[in-house]
Amino acid sequence: MRMAHLVTNCSFSPSPAVKTHPKSPNCGHNSIRFQNSKSSSSSLIAKSCSKRSKKLYVTRASASVQAPADKTQTPLTGSQQESAHSSSKPKKVMVIGGDGYCGWATALHLSNKGYEVAIVDNLVRRLFDHQLGLDSLTPIASIQNRIRRWKSLTGKTIQLFIGDICDFEFLSEAFKSFEPDSAVHFGEQRSAPYSMIDRSRAVFTQHNNVIGTLNVLFAMKEFSQECHLVKLGTMGEYGTPNIDIEEGFITITHNGRTDTLPYPKQASSFYHLSKVHDSHNIAFTCKAWGIRATDLNQGVVYGVRTDETAMHEELSNRLDYDGIFGTALNRFCVQAAVGHPLTVYGKGGQTRGYLDIRDTVQCVELAIANPAKPGEFRVFNQFTEQFSVNELAKLVTAAGAKLGLEVQTKSVPNPRVEAEEHYYNAKHSKLSELGLVPHLLSDSLLDSLLNFAVQYKDRVDTAQIMPSVSWKKMGAKTKTLSV
């Protein structure tokens, strides 16, 4: 995949190129090659590209209003900042991975709150759908049309940098051009099943996630030393230990000596392992270089609408329901809408933290408004409620009955290697202390999500519902999952 490195904004007609990349054309861009599994050379690899045209397309960004957080006062919410500092220069936030599920909602939310926003994305998530024969339940516009529509509705500009953060030359230019005060990092391959399809996807996931994050850290050190990194981690880093899960660190006494150490990690896929390595790299650079960072260990996200994405159909977010990228509650609601039994893996006792996507954007805003100190590595567990898979299935069944849907549940063989019945109690107080007001899972929210799924049920491909990736059966041979 050859992808031009572009910088554009949300105006309807990008200006002509005003600047070319000053460096040599060689780069370390990730190129994806996808072939049929019958080919002996089939692979999904990272390789160098050569003689790429690198152009920067820019137009003048409009100024919004946002004030810096006052570290000496009580935590600020975005609305408090907006009202208290209406004449201040807007803070700049780079949203890496801003075309994705969480990233798009976050970029719009921050722009709406008065931040000056730039999106950095290589659009590879859309490529995954084409490779695997998948599609979002909701039709989603191109990133260019999304940003243009946002401009037309709000008058607010979002800059767009199209390129791969694994290419440090591209990322450097983006940092030098935009000069972010905060970098929100969603730009990773985010699916555990995807990382377990075959060797090539496992390698891609680890390379893309670990090297990409390392590049972000080096870019901050070289070009934006005061920049605050807000990194999306995952609660899956912790696993399911038989003790309470703390927020990032645990104080232990051993042989008469006491210390506070990073909480033990028990990742359960090559994706989760990449996140663990990210956390270690970020913690190290905070200590060695004085990087300021907040690691948001997020639970399972559900929902599709935020105030901003609901403004126009071209701003709609993606909603994945397949067995590779779909999350549990979103999958269940789509399954109920089309009359497919809810697919509970194994015994269904798997318990995790969950949160509404509206709370994802709120948590990111709170982390930005109350940044870490130089050299500080903070960990916040980002979720609002805990549910087992069986509990979610019962909630969806009850909500479906109110809408006249006959919802059934069936247990299917668990494709993952995980405990199906276990203790789970994770702490999550730090974001609440900063002012998080959660949207808890309610009957009205489930009704809304189910009605949304019913609205688009004609777009559902039932062949994509059942799990197709086995943790134990993955191998070195590249697989093709689409029919």
Side-chain angles (χ1 to χ4, degrees):
M1 175 184 64
R2 296 192 175 212
M3 189 172 296
H5 294 165
L6 304 178
V7 182
T8 185
N9 78 331
C10 61
S11 62
F12 285 91
S13 299
S15 69
V18 297
K19 177 179 172 184
T20 59
H21 200 289
K23 299 291 183 78
S24 67
N26 288 333
C27 66
H29 180 68
N30 274 357
S31 176
I32 310 297
R33 184 174 73 230
F34 182 78
Q35 296 177 314
N36 190 282
S37 59
K38 294 179 181 179
S39 170
S40 60
S41 62
S42 295
S43 61
L44 185 73
I45 61 175
K47 67 178 182 179
S48 296
C49 65
S50 62
K51 298 183 180 179
R52 174 184 295 123
S53 172
K54 297 184 178 180
K55 297 180 180 180
L56 295 174
Y57 290 87
V58 297
T59 56
R60 184 65 60 187
S62 61
S64 304
V65 177
Q66 181 65 40
D70 185 346
K71 300 177 190 175
T72 64
Q73 298 180 358
T74 55
L76 296 179
T77 64
S79 59
Q80 287 173 327
Q81 288 190 354
E82 197 170 17
S83 61
H85 303 282
S86 58
S87 62
S88 301
K89 181 180 178 182
K91 301 289 283 185
K92 293 184 175 183
V93 181
M94 176 181 285
V95 181
I96 302 170
D99 188 46
Y101 175 54
C102 292
W104 175 241
T106 298
L108 291 190
H109 177 78
L110 294 175
S111 178
N112 201 32
K113 289 294 184 179
Y115 290 89
E116 184 176 338
V117 175
I119 287 175
V120 175
D121 205 300
N122 66 354
L123 311 184
V124 73
R125 176 63 188 86
R126 296 172 184 254
L127 178 64
F128 293 159
D129 279 353
H130 291 306
Q131 289 177 343
L132 302 175
L134 309 176
D135 202 359
S136 165
L137 176 73
T138 50
I140 54 174
S142 70
I143 185 60
Q144 293 83 0
N145 287 342
R146 282 174 153 186
I147 292 175
R148 290 168 185 159
R149 180 58 63 185
W150 179 247
K151 171 76 170 181
S152 71
L153 292 172
T154 68
K156 296 178 182 293
T157 295
I158 295 178
Q159 291 190 47
L160 175 61
F161 295 77
I162 299 180
D164 194 333
I165 64 171
C166 288
D167 174 5
F168 187 69
E169 191 175 16
F170 158 74
L171 186 63
S172 298
E173 289 302 313
F175 264 81
K176 288 187 287 186
S177 174
F178 186 65
E179 299 180 332
D181 298 295
S182 298
V184 181
H185 185 12
F186 293 105
E188 300 196 319
Q189 192 296 100
R190 56 96 171 166
S191 166
Y194 186 90
S195 75
M196 303 299 291
I197 293 175
D198 52 36
R199 184 206 63 84
S200 62
R201 268 72 172 221
V203 170
F204 171 81
T205 298
Q206 297 246 331
H207 181 274
N208 181 80
N209 294 1
V210 176
I211 303 304
T213 298
L214 271 175
N215 281 348
V216 171
L217 292 167
F218 272 96
M220 290 173 61
K221 180 180 185 294
E222 295 296 321
F223 311 115
S224 299
Q225 293 185 5
E226 293 300 313
C227 183
H228 173 215
L229 175 63
V230 179
K231 169 67 164 60
L232 194 75
T234 170
M235 290 296 295
E237 292 185 33
Y238 298 121
T240 54
N242 198 37
I243 58 174
D244 290 354
I245 296 174
E246 305 296 333
E247 297 203 63
F249 300 89
I250 185 170
T251 299
I252 61 174
T253 299
H254 180 64
N255 292 340
R257 302 186 68 85
T258 300
D259 201 353
T260 298
L261 303 170
Y263 196 94
K265 306 296 178 71
Q266 300 182 76
S268 58
S269 72
F270 289 118
Y271 155 74
H272 291 106
L273 286 162
S274 74
K275 291 288 196 175
V276 171
H277 203 39
D278 283 343
S279 295
H280 291 325
N281 284 339
I282 296 169
F284 171 73
T285 56
C286 287
K287 182 185 299 184
W289 301 341
I291 297 288
R292 57 177 77 202
T294 302
D295 202 0
L296 298 175
N297 282 343
Q298 182 167 254
V300 184
V301 185
Y302 58 82
V304 64
R305 289 183 184 272
T306 63
D307 290 344
E308 293 79 20
T309 63
M311 290 171 62
H312 193 278
E313 62 182 7
E314 279 195 312
L315 301 181
S316 293
N317 206 349
R318 67 179 306 118
L319 194 150
D320 299 303
Y321 62 88
D322 58 88
I324 295 177
F325 290 101
T327 57
L329 185 57
N330 287 350
R331 290 204 326 268
F332 283 178
C333 287
V334 173
Q335 290 167 10
V338 298
H340 191 287
L342 308 187
T343 53
V344 171
Y345 295 172
K347 296 178 181 179
Q350 301 93 319
T351 302
R352 304 289 187 269
Y354 289 80
L355 77 161
D356 191 304
I357 193 167
R358 292 173 294 178
D359 292 335
T360 290
V361 302
Q362 187 185 172
C363 290
V364 172
E365 182 190 1
L366 286 168
I368 293 171
N370 302 277
K373 300 175 183 177
E376 181 184 10
F377 175 65
R378 304 187 302 186
V379 180
F380 297 162
N381 290 344
Q382 183 171 303
F383 69 95
T384 58
E385 298 176 276
Q386 293 183 179
F387 298 102
S388 71
V389 174
N390 285 330
E391 288 171 337
L392 289 179
K394 290 178 181 178
L395 290 171
V396 172
T397 299
K402 294 178 182 179
L403 299 179
L405 300 174
E406 185 177 346
V407 183
Q408 299 180 343
T409 299
K410 73 173 182 179
S411 174
V412 301
N414 193 345
R416 305 187 178 209
V417 176
E418 62 183 358
E420 296 177 2
E421 294 177 321
H422 56 85
Y423 176 81
Y424 196 83
N425 184 40
K427 307 292 181 62
H428 56 112
S429 63
K430 292 182 180 179
L431 284 161
S432 296
E433 292 167 1
L434 290 180
L436 173 63
V437 181
H439 297 83
L440 301 179
L441 187 59
S442 62
D443 291 344
S444 60
L445 177 61
L446 278 172
D447 289 348
S448 174
L449 193 52
L450 280 167
N451 277 312
F452 194 83
V454 170
Q455 177 185 351
Y456 289 101
K457 69 178 183 179
D458 290 342
R459 289 178 52 86
V460 175
D461 177 5
T462 56
Q464 305 300 335
I465 289 178
M466 295 299 291
S468 58
V469 178
S470 170
W471 265 230
K472 292 184 177 180
K473 294 180 181 179
M474 76 175 297
K477 187 176 182 180
T478 300
K479 291 181 62 176
T480 299
L481 300 185
S482 58
V483 178

